[in-house]
Amino acid sequence: MKRIYVNEQWCLGCHLCEYNCAFANTNSENKCRENDMAKALKNKVINPRIRIEEKDDIHFAVSCRHCEDPLCVKGCIAGALSIVDGVINIDQDKCVGCYTCILSCPYGAIMPADSGSVIQKCELCTKNSCGEPACVKGCPNNAIVFEER
Amino acid sequence: MAINYSIPEFEIVRNTDRCIGCRACERQCANEVHYYDPDLGKMMADDTKCVNCHRCVSICPTRALKIVKNNDTLRENANWTSENILEIYKQAATGGVLLSSMGNPKPLPVYWDKILINASQVTNPPIDPLREPMETKTFLGKKPEKIERDKDGKIVNNLSSQLELQVPIMFSAMSFGSISKNAHESLARAASELGTYYNTGEGGLHKDFYQYGPNTIVQVASGRFGVHKEYLEAGAAIEIKMGQGAKPGIGGHLPGTKSIGEVASTRMIPEGSDAISPAPHHDIYSIEDLRQLVYSLKEATEYKKPIIVKIAAVHNVAAIASGIARGGADIIAIDGFRGGTGAAPTRIRDNVGIPIELALASVDERLRQEGIRGQVSIVVGGSIRNSADVVKAIALGADAVYIGSAACIAMGCHQCRSCHMAKCNWGIATQRPDLVKRLNPDIASKNLVNLVSAWNHEIKEIMGGMGINSIESLKGNRLMLRGVGLTQKELDILGIKHAGE
């Protein structure tokens, strides 16, 4: 299955993936249309599902790895996390906000949604109109790729 | 402290309606122009540091930025232009030689733009390159003067070593040091894929790139940096660099701050030491001396590799080229006064040398007159900007062209002409690891392959229009060219007729 892979060697730490992620997952009607990023994100504190980890000259993006045997799904007490065609999905209607998944994810790739009462995570842009994940599409240096390995 | 008279050359215009404060511009600017002001809660910019490389403009996700020419003006004066005055301020403040990078930006005549190409009509049909075979492959090197046969009448192979080019375009010499390792890798990979050659420049060949040897031209320059037996054997050809179009008569100087790590080890010099290439080769003061080096290199590589001699286009270039041909070189590379550089004194770059178009025409003509044109191939560089320039160069007598600036632009260079600052925001003309990694060879080599392939398609189209189906039939075919707006003297030197004649 195609997954998002990051390559530290080419990551510039520009953080554009975070903004592309936040933009792709806004509720703006015109999401994924580049012209509207200013409208969608102006004066907003973004809460992206991909995050740059960095120290000094080292940068790389971290997002859900869609593990084959995911601890988050195993630990979910509400049945909100499930695997659909290899993609780990979150059903926010079922999520009770216990944060067990956040604590159990070894990669720190799950985080609370803006409301704080449910969680959010990368779902490979399957639930928005982006098609290919927005972080991959917008990465200026091929540091984030979407491929079969 | 004395008053600083300088005026920022550019002004950064930020559309605050569009800026979302992502700070990508700040993170990507090696000149530290952009910054976030927490008190004001918005992005600010220091125009004085901007070199107009456009990195921030290209990376801004909301297209909130543009860079404009600063319209703050000194009193207008056609003689004492702002540029003249500001340069005097700079020199009065520092006492230094002005440095510049890339090619001559002055509005001197570009003869390519005053030459027009012929096309077939009615009596000699044009050829459609999509339907009929069209050849752009060419060979560089000495061509045999006569067919020799053995006693059985069989043809003896008397062909000396040749370079085989699938397209008549090569990447010109840019050293590892002047450009980054990733830039070199991009050029090397693109040359391999295209079936052409890239040139190491004078900085030696990084050990990782020996694998691209069959598509590499290794250079021997006056500093002899990185030259050893394996290096000479690694390349497909060896180029002796006598001069460079951007700075004829001037050597090179890679500052110690750039001679670090692999740059120093590849050059075989101590880390942190300045790499100074003398203006002359100290063992070459005559054509006879040059001949010795040509044959020393041939001996060292068992006559398997053609030897290129690269010179800058200067006033008596035709006589010099004749000497080089007689000195045993297989290929002469001529670099015009618009050729690029990683650093050169401004006055030299802007005032020394001659246009490549005139140099090429006079060299080709002189070698023909002397009956030695077949002894050498001619490669020209120094601002070949598009496929039409390539076609015009070949019709004027070149066998192939070198592209350097165009190749850099394909890799992302925005011609900000600040290479000498060593802070290239595009990862090309820098050794700073955080900047070098911005140039991903996977992307850049593809861009180079795309560029040359596109030009190759266009060359075929233009040749087809002329009813020519092989690049060999275009070589020196000056009847296919006409001049516009040129004096009789210029037309005579170019060896072409005026349009309408």
Side-chain angles (χ1 to χ4, degrees), chain B residues 121 230 334 338 374 419 430 440:
Chain B
Q121 298 292 295
E230 291 73 44
I334 315 168
R338 283 180 195 283
C419 320
T430 180
N440 183 338

Side-chain angles (χ1 to χ4, degrees), chain B residues 253-417:
Chain B
H253 182 168
L254 190 79
T257 49
K258 275 191 185 175
S259 305
I260 45 166
E262 291 179 324
V263 174
S265 58
T266 304
R267 288 184 182 232
M268 307 195 304
I269 56 171
E271 263 199 61
S273 63
D274 288 17
I276 295 174
S277 297
H281 285 247
H282 284 306
D283 53 355
I284 301 178
Y285 283 80
S286 65
I287 292 295
E288 290 76 11
D289 290 346
L290 175 66
R291 187 179 173 85
Q292 280 200 347
L293 181 59
V294 168
Y295 279 91
S296 301
L297 294 172
K298 287 192 176 196
E299 283 288 341
T301 52
E302 297 168 334
Y303 292 83
K304 285 180 187 157
K305 300 177 196 300
I307 307 292
I308 308 170
V309 174
K310 178 182 177 180
I311 50 166
V314 289
H315 297 180
N316 50 350
V317 65
I320 297 165
S322 165
I324 292 170
R326 291 169 197 282
D330 300 283
I331 301 162
I332 303 176
I334 315 168
D335 197 11
F337 82 138
R338 283 180 195 283
T341 175
T346 308
R347 297 291 168 248
I348 303 282
R349 184 196 66 174
D350 293 354
N351 296 283
V352 180
I354 65 169
I356 190 60
E357 303 89 329
L358 303 179
L360 165 61
S362 64
V363 167
D364 180 64
E365 180 61 26
R366 175 72 171 260
L367 297 183
R368 280 173 197 281
Q369 282 173 359
E370 296 186 5
I372 54 173
R373 180 63 183 83
Q375 284 185 23
V376 283
S377 292
I378 300 176
V379 179
V380 297
S383 203
I384 298 289
R385 305 158 301 167
N386 53 50
S387 58
D389 288 356
V390 179
V391 169
K392 290 169 189 175
I394 290 170
L396 275 181
D399 292 88
V401 303
Y402 263 144
I403 58 168
S405 297
C408 284
I409 294 170
M411 289 192 283
C413 165
H414 277 55
Q415 292 280 303
C416 72
R417 310 201 297 265

Side-chain angles (χ1 to χ4, degrees), chain B residues 169-199:
Chain B
I169 300 165
M170 303 188 288
F171 299 127
S172 45
M174 291 180 276
S175 72
F176 174 43
S178 76
I179 61 171
S180 65
K181 189 182 169 198
N182 287 349
H184 249 213
E185 183 177 341
S186 306
L187 291 166
R189 280 165 54 176
S192 295
E193 196 175 330
L194 289 162
T196 182
Y197 301 85
Y198 85 108
N199 190 314

Side-chain angles (χ1 to χ4, degrees), chain A residues 9-11 13 35 42 141, chain B residues 16 18-19 437-438 440:
Chain A
Q9 188 189 1
W10 301 121
C11 178
N35 286 341
K42 183 80 188 159
N141 209 32
Chain B
T16 50
R18 299 202 60 77
C19 177
K437 75 190 299 194
R438 293 182 184 182
N440 183 338

Side-chain angles (χ1 to χ4, degrees), chain A residues 8-16 19-20 34-38 41-43 54 57 59 140-143, chain B residues 16-22 24 27-28 55 59 61-63 182 434 436-443:
Chain A
E8 182 270 324
Q9 188 189 1
W10 301 121
C11 178
L12 311 175
C14 68
H15 291 249
L16 286 181
Y19 285 84
N20 286 316
E34 194 185 354
N35 286 341
D36 300 305
M37 188 192 271
L41 301 183
K42 183 80 188 159
N43 299 326
E54 58 192 344
D57 284 340
H59 325 263
N141 209 32
N142 283 6
Chain B
T16 50
D17 285 342
R18 299 202 60 77
C19 177
I20 54 170
C22 71
R27 294 188 184 98
Q28 291 287 298
R55 179 78 184 180
I59 207 115
T62 59
R63 289 256 156 223
N182 287 349
D434 61 318
V436 172
K437 75 190 299 194
R438 293 182 184 182
L439 190 72
N440 183 338
D442 292 342
I443 301 173

